[in-house]
Amino acid sequence: MNLEKPILIREDGLRHDGRKPDELRPIRIEVGVLSNADGSALVEFGRTKVVAAVYGPREIHPKHMTLPDRALIRCRYHMAPFSTSDRKSPAPSRREIELSKVIREALEASIFTELFPRTTIDVFIEVLQADGGTRTAGLTAASLAVADAGIPMRDLIAAVAVGKVDGVLVLDIDELEDEYGEADMPMAMMPSLNQIVLLQLNGVLTREEFMKAIELGKKGIMEIYRMQKEALSKKYLQYPEVE
Ligand code: ADP
């Protein structure tokens, strides 16, 4: 770890990677990338690369976990051992257990689980490359994988992290900004319903900064949501050419 703090906001007002404060990293979204899963998606936010796979609704094992009135949602967020610069232990860490839980709770809010009682929907999120924002990229991918599996949803979930670096609020922070910045606020929404399904804050923001950070996050989320819908259309709205 480099102990000297890098310059995060340059003299020209841009960020260390040349982005404006309200600019997302280049985003790539692809739906249906795994043929063995019922639904899948790949999401890249800059160097952060995440794949999500969904199985179900299907029979539950072990049986005693069955819920009589709705589907059980299980979620595993996992970072591949090769996803970080220092090799990460493949065993689930406390952080991965926490992230699996908050991601599951967010997904639960978006899925009509009552339509599939006594079944399970299993969601796997695999971080292939980590450069900050893996929970938000993971949730964005998982939501698309659920949609790709044909499971009825209230809305897609789009997510991004807002941060504060060198006193400036910035959209979609990367690992360097997360490590040396003053605050990290991941947020996720069902955009059409204007409903927040995940909001965390690491660090300190004033009340005014917090309100501004929410607005900045919403702006990013609307852009991501548009790209999500585009990626779904690319897979599902391919009409055969008329002769
Ligand atoms: P998020 O990935 O959602 O931003 P954190 O804020 O916990 O979650 O992590 C920020 C970044 O720190 C990650 O995206 C990753 O690049 C890096 N990181 C997290 N855990 C580890 C780890 N065990 N080893 C190396 N780097 C890690």
Side-chain angles (χ1 to χ4, degrees):
M1 198 175 82
N2 183 1
L3 291 176
E4 202 176 313
K5 182 180 169 300
I7 292 171
L8 296 174
I9 299 291
R10 309 186 317 207
E11 270 181 21
D12 59 7
L14 298 179
R15 293 152 74 178
H16 76 96
D17 58 0
R19 276 187 291 159
K20 296 191 207 89
D22 65 349
E23 196 174 331
L24 294 165
R25 288 177 279 185
I27 292 181
R28 179 179 157 219
I29 299 180
E30 205 175 320
V31 175
V33 291
L34 304 172
S35 51
N36 286 348
D38 294 318
S40 60
L42 173 82
V43 169
E44 291 177 22
F45 283 18
R47 280 192 296 262
T48 289
K49 188 186 278 235
V50 177
V51 68
V54 166
Y55 295 82
R58 63 181 179 181
E59 213 175 299
I60 301 186
H61 299 287
K63 280 257 180 293
H64 68 83
M65 292 180 83
T66 302
L67 300 174
D69 58 342
R70 62 186 193 277
L72 172 74
I73 298 184
R74 294 187 286 203
C75 178
R76 185 185 89 145
Y77 160 100
H78 181 251
M79 282 176 106
F82 53 81
S83 64
T84 58
S85 39
D86 328 322
R87 184 179 176 279
K88 183 209 148 273
S89 159
S93 61
R94 283 185 58 145
R95 175 178 170 276
E96 287 170 304
I97 295 166
E98 180 219 318
L99 292 195
S100 300
K101 176 179 181 282
V102 294
I103 291 171
R104 171 175 53 75
E105 287 170 348
L107 286 172
E108 242 163 10
S110 75
I111 298 173
F112 287 104
T113 53
E114 61 277 20
L115 296 179
F116 306 101
R118 315 186 75 80
T119 67
T120 181
I121 296 169
D122 290 315
V123 181
F124 297 90
I125 293 168
E126 199 65 27
V127 179
L128 304 178
Q129 190 161 276
D131 186 27
T134 63
R135 82 193 63 197
T136 44
L139 188 46
T140 302
S143 165
L144 283 165
V146 172
D148 186 38
I151 296 169
M153 303 166 82
R154 293 180 173 81
D155 195 2
L156 285 168
I157 293 175
V160 76
V162 177
K164 184 178 160 190
V165 301
D166 291 350
V168 178
L169 290 175
V170 293
L171 185 62
D172 187 20
I173 55 169
D174 64 14
E175 183 174 321
L176 191 81
E177 292 174 322
D178 185 22
E179 191 175 342
Y180 293 98
E182 295 102 72
D184 166 23
M185 190 184 85
M187 64 184 276
M189 290 183 72
M190 293 195 277
S192 306
L193 302 175
N194 198 28
Q195 200 171 320
I196 292 176
V197 289
L198 179 147
L199 184 63
Q200 299 180 292
L201 174 59
N202 202 346
V204 180
L205 294 177
T206 63
R207 177 185 286 263
E208 196 189 340
E209 283 169 341
F210 176 71
M211 298 315 290
K212 281 194 181 144
I214 296 269
E215 283 314 308
L216 185 57
K218 269 193 190 178
K219 176 182 167 290
I221 280 171
M222 294 317 292
E223 281 180 54
I224 295 163
Y225 186 48
R226 188 184 51 72
M227 288 184 254
Q228 284 178 305
K229 288 193 289 188
E230 227 173 70
L232 281 169
S233 308
K234 201 168 165 203
K235 178 169 178 199
Y236 288 101
L237 296 183
Q238 298 281 9
Y239 296 111
E241 271 181 39
V242 182
E243 296 201 355

